[in-house]
Amino acid sequence: MEETTLDVLIANNYKTFGHLAFAVSSSPNTADEEQVQQWVNTVFAQPPTPQQMACIRRALFEAQALSISDMKSRVEPQSDVLVRKMPVAERIARQTALERRLTGVIFAPETTPGHSVVDRLVDVLETGVMAYLEPHKYVSRSQEVQNVKSEKSLSITTDGNLKVNAKVETLTCEASSALTLRQAWSRRSIAFELAGLATFTILESWVQKMFIMMQRPPPDGYVSISLQQLLAADRHLFTVAADRLLGNLQGAPGREKPLDTEVKRLADSTEVLQFLTCLPKATNPPPLKRPWETDKGGQWKADGKGGEGKGRKGKHKESKGTGSAMQLPPGAKGYRLVLVAYSIRPIPSSAKALGVPEPVPLRDEIPTTGCKALQPPVEGVSSGSELCRVGFYRSPEQWVDEAVSTTHPMDAAAALPKITLDAILQSFSSDQKAMALKRKVALMKAEILAKKLEKDEEALHKSMPDWMQAVVHDKRILLWEALLRQSEYDDMEVVDFLKQGVPLVGTSDCPPCFETKVRPAVLTEAELRAAAPDLRRGMMSRSLHQEPEHTAHLLEATREELASGFIQGPFTEEQVNAHFGHKHWLAIRRFIIRQGQKLRPIEDCCEAHLNEAYAATIKLRLQDADFFVAMALEVSRLSGRSPKAARPWVAKCLDLAKAYKQLPVAGCHRDLAVIMVEEEDGSHSFYLSSSLMFGSTSAVFAFNRVSRSIWWLLTKVLHIPCSHFYDDFPMLVPEDMGSEADASASKFLSLLGWRHAKTGEGGKGHPFMSKFDVLGLSADVAQLHLGTLVLSNKEGRAERIQDLLRVVSDEGRITRHQGQVLLGLLRFASGFYGGRTLRHVCADLNRLVFSRDNVTPQRLRALCDWASKALTTLPPRTISFAASRPLVHIFTDGCWQDGVAGLGAVVFDCATSHGRVFQGRLPDNLVKAWLSEVGEQIIGQIELYAVLVMRCFLKDDIAGRRTVFWCDNEAARFGLIRNESHSRSMDVMLRAFAKVEDESLSFTWISRVPSASNPSDAPSRGDGQSVLKLARATRVEPFPDFQAPHPRRYLLLLLLQERVHSRGVSAEILIRPQISALEAFLGLLLTVTDWPAVSFLDKAESQAEDFPFVGSEAASSAAEVSSRVFAANLPKQAWEGPTCLSYPWERPAKRRATVLGFLDVLEPVADEALEDKQLGKLPPVAKAYLRRLPVARESSDERTHALKRLKFLIMWDPDSTSLASSLSGAATRLMDDALVQQSFSDAFRSKATGTLLKRAGSLERYFRWAVENQVASPFSVGESVIYDYLSYLRSAESAATSASHFVESLRFLHSVANLCRMDLPAVLSARVQGVARDMYLGKRPLEQKPQLTVEMVAALESFCSRADPQDAVICGQLLFCLHSCARWSDGQRLKSIEIQEQQDETVLIADALGAKTATTKEAKTRLIPYVAIGTGLRHSWANVWSEARKDQGFEFGDFAQPAWLDSKGSWGEVAMDAAQATFFLQEFLMKAGIDQAEALKRSSHSLKATLTTWASRCPTVAFSRAEQRLLGRHMKPKDRSPLTYSRQAFTSLYGKVLLMLQHIRAGKFNPDLNEVGRIVEVAKAGSVNADQAGGRSGSPGEPVDSSSSGESSDGSGDRESEAAGGEDLLRRVPFRDPVDHSLLKVHRLSGIVHHLKEGVDARQFFCGRILSDRYMPFTRAGPAAADPDFCLQCQRARDG
């Protein structure tokens, strides 16, 4: 544009592009040429030339474009703005200037920061916002140059436009050591200087200061400053600086940079230096001395004659024996170890010859009295036998007789001490006047004694410091001490707490009346005092940041304590130093916590490390609510025994006022109790504490000892039955004694000087009442004399829980903290409600809170509704102590033998002295269902079912009665006690049991009976007649059958109530005779998803509307009506009656119809096209059936494991594959399970086991990624999801072949299962395959498996010679392949072997049919000779192998070596493949002593490569190229035929092989030498022939065996075989309980579960194998844990 034209525009005030953009039109995009021409004519006097007109049009366009772009950037700012790069010229100029100025600094690519780091800091300077960069992000220029990547990428937006994206920089540097961290921070200093943020010297001064402080030696008792402390200090400095300099990073020219000023200030501030303080060294306290240990030492002797040897303290009695004397040298110190050995067999003669004496019997004879643990010898065993019974053995008759004579555990008052029982008895048996007179006399004696001790008391108080007198001025300490001595109290040391104060640190004493429990101190008192100044400075630098309300309350509480004399102050820090005369005093911060609606001041003794210097030795036994209930039980028992003397009782809770503040601090520790209070302005005031602090551990133990002494006096002196719990003293007296007992107790405590809440004063001074609050609960004792105690939750607790439930339900989510608070409240509250429902609520809430799965709002709201309804409808816990209702004993048992599940029960009512006997069998449908769910071990389900049925059957008979259920199965017993089980089917029955308990409350106790003593064992085995006399019954009754007349009642109750009703689906629709498939699926829906399985029902409901029905709305109504009528006519069961509690599934709700049951009233649409369209929509039950159906066991464990994994993946969403759809047809037609299993296995029949393992590993990794990224159906996705996954593999730096293997796995799965919801050609697009190819190009070069070393070969031969036949036959096959240079697959083709021996040498000659490389029919039918040296390298193995084959009954048929099945403990019917051979090779090497890491590097291909490699390296025996090829059977085609028919070529060749082995034996040749060693060896042999020197790893002409190519030569495939989500429950464990799941390991290849030993053999399995990296934990085994196969040898060795 010419200047004249520009001048015209400026003259008309068009000076900016903004003015020009809207010159023509208000909507620039709509302006046409005519409008532009009109504007030009208006502005220009002379029309512009055509060339100038073009320039004007361009200027208008650019102005409009800039205006629109500016507006868009303001309205829609970019989220990924690129960091502006510094121009190259400017970068060079800055660095040159810096190098010129910093002459002592070396600038190199490794010490110079990367350009990206400087650019980022320049951006920080421009924006004014600084963020802390971790040290590992300060990469060097050298790293940046070697990692050049494109920093921008293009993408297409949704509107079709191109968009430039910034790529996130992932380059990092090493900064984990002191040196690398120092280098990183040096690069930071240079980068800040180059960016203009700070000066190099300032930052380097700060870094140098930190490292100097780290290198200084620490004081005694402290550790040096760590790198973590340096990082924390540096991070805090820059965080504070960034906050202070927000928007002010650019300083004025010529002045100091703002960041320099701030760094210098913070480098010397305590706010930062607190991170660089030496920390105390963690020291272990000195070990506690044993009773016999003193500082004087001692000597212990044993004369072997049963005499007494003097020990260090007391005497040591020796048992009668004939052993020789054992004597320690004089002056010996330390611990002594006495080994006592027992033997049940005679001492061998060889041992006797060495002087070993005969062992002394445990007992000379079986006692008839005294010890009941040993019974007479076993019947039928001779008297000279060494066997005897140990334990309490009882026959069923003896057990029943003793059970009848016992009392219910609730009726035992053994928990009460004697003084409490005496006080209750005196209060019960005495009238009001007599008891009042006793208490009056006791008070008068105490007053007289107080008067007598008055002067001594005054002298004691005057001897105390003033501050201590202020705390105990009203205490009569000597009176308290005298009363305790008169009443024979057992902890008189407690008096010293008032005389001398309570020590805050050190080790407490443990009086004999307390149990010992040592909690050692971490710090000593000296260490705590030495660290006190630094701790104080650190606390003062940190503000409390509490609410103004809390600060005001804190100051008010402090002023009140100051007025009461509990503290002194306020002081400044200097004044406290002057007061104590030193600065090593400890400051303890005071803060506020909220307890409900109450604010309480607390001293933070943990922050001050005070509690870490206190060692406790006492185990406190607090008298909690159970103690009070036991007192009430005793009162009720006395009332029941003497009804005429029974009368109403009342209770109250006496509370001490400011309990801890009534005890003084020890004078020597007062400088460790300085309270620090933060004022409103942020300053700190200090107060010297004269009394105990609330947060001190020492205060807890000291006050409980004092509280126990007060309880002792109230009970012993005043005869008031009471308990103590910290500062609370619940008391229980007859109603007519209430007022007098209250006055006496208050007067007595006032006389002693203990401040307490008096009746009528304050909020805690309540009188004796029939209902009172105690220890967090409300107790009603109004009917106690009639045998009833009612316990309920304290007022307000239920309302608080309801409020929390309402908040969670409204929000539809729950945080971990909310769940923990709610769970704690519910667990405490459940103890004071009747029934067991709230315990199941707690169990479900615990699963929700601590589950890793996403919790749906519907599921959470259902649980909240259930809990809320339970809180409002459940009655309070009512405990009856009526003594006139004898016990009911219910013995139950289950039998599982030969596929028959027997049930038995014996009921004995002590009230009538008559019993009943029941026997029967479990319905076959439940047996089949449980077998499909948990496997063979269903005895737990059977035993629990027996208990549940008897509880329901006897519901009315045992209502309100004391009942004991005797069970001999621990799984069922513990489930009943804990009210939950990890087995889903058992958990459902436990919930049914809880519902019956809610409806018919009884006092149920679950106890154990040994199987041999269980009278119901015989009925469970069909022999009920044998126990009729024992049970005092007249006939054997059939076991209650709640299934008649409808055989599915029990199944539908458990299945549908728990799953369907809870989701609002009509359960009646499912009840129809045609759905017989449900009979086999108990627990089926329970195992579909997580527990409870709500997400499955959500999905089923969402798909219900997709099923076509004629008039679906009318059909729903018709189905509802007909099914309700059908269900209403069925007989109701014991648990189906009305209940006081409405469960979530019982609430009225709009029910949605499902597909199941519609065939009763409707006919489906007969439209083939529509059916084809709905082919992928499987019924929920069919999906569940397919998921739960186990895989058919193959003849190879590895193949079974691979099929399990593939089945798990395919059945994840059965709708996505045609294979699952076809199997669903079999499921819905009720085809036999075995046939369905076989159909799945046949689909993969043509695929090799190695292929299945490899493909399953790739697909499992994809599934883990899909689940983590919330992909609902991984096999029903499009191309974008597959591309995202491959991109993830590339960014995660996965194995180079992982992407290509995954693409191949998808093609493999499609060819077998047909991915009907995935268009595979479209999914495997060009960019998907491009990612796979890009990653594959990064694959490392193929490396052959290394050969075996001489040590390994010798170890393998040695192991073969001593192994059992099972291992020897496998080891021999491995050695044959090694010494004959045969592939494992070729060794399996053996047809005959011949062993020849001569001159101590053994040669094994064998013929094999075909080879791996044989392709023609002639080659496949040609016998190929093999020769092996049977004497081996060190040990002869050929004969051992031959004998082992005969022992195992092996013949040369289709294969030489069958596979070994750990799951069956026997040989399989197929050949052992190379993968399993590799496993055994590695196992045998490790057993023979080879290092695990080296053993795992070898595979079956290493066998063939061993001799060929040795031959190529041998300098003493010359092998030509042709001989090396012949040794490895790499023959030219023209040579194969002559060599086949002539063994001479091999025999002459193996003459050289034998000579080579002899040279190895003689040490003339070492094949394991490295390259340099071999060169020297060749030189010594005088030959440098290339043929003799050989290659580094075998013959150059040797082809690569296919078994060694790829990623793994053992067929195991990628290490992607660990399945995600292996948290399935253990369902089928043959090992006897208890089973520690951490000891179960799964072999990655075969999926077999092995059991580790414990103790010294912790790395060895019971089957003898060694733990290695080939095993993974059982909890992460995925499908192997869901459907496990176990090692039979481990089971036999562990359980016998």
Side-chain angles (χ1 to χ4, degrees), residues 14 17 77 96 260 361 585 777 1100 1104 1277 1290 1613 1633:
Y14 294 109
F17 278 110
T96 303
D260 287 347
W585 49 273
L777 61 93
V1277 298
R1290 180 165 56 182
D1633 288 336

Side-chain angles (χ1 to χ4, degrees), residues 208-219:
Q208 188 66 23
K209 179 177 183 177
M210 287 192 292
F211 278 93
I212 289 175
M213 296 182 69
M214 185 181 73
Q215 293 172 356
R216 289 175 181 170

Side-chain angles (χ1 to χ4, degrees), residues 385-463:
S385 174
E386 299 168 358
L387 299 176
C388 63
R389 286 186 175 183
V390 178
F392 294 90
Y393 282 77
R394 297 183 180 90
S395 64
E397 293 80 3
Q398 293 173 328
W399 192 279
V400 172
D401 290 342
E402 293 195 28
V404 170
S405 62
T406 59
T407 59
H408 196 275
M410 291 179 57
D411 297 328
L416 297 179
K418 185 177 184 303
I419 62 169
T420 302
L421 293 174
D422 293 341
I424 293 174
L425 181 60
Q426 289 192 37
S427 297
F428 179 83
S429 58
S430 304
D431 58 13
Q432 188 271 338
K433 292 183 179 180
M435 186 55 65
L437 182 60
K438 285 184 179 180
R439 294 191 180 112
K440 188 175 183 180
V441 171
L443 286 173
M444 290 178 60
K445 290 182 178 180
E447 290 175 350
I448 294 173
L449 185 58
K451 190 68 174 177
K452 182 179 178 181
L453 299 173
E454 187 174 359
K455 292 184 179 180
D456 294 335
E457 198 81 55
E458 183 178 354
L460 175 63
H461 281 263
K462 287 183 178 180
S463 64

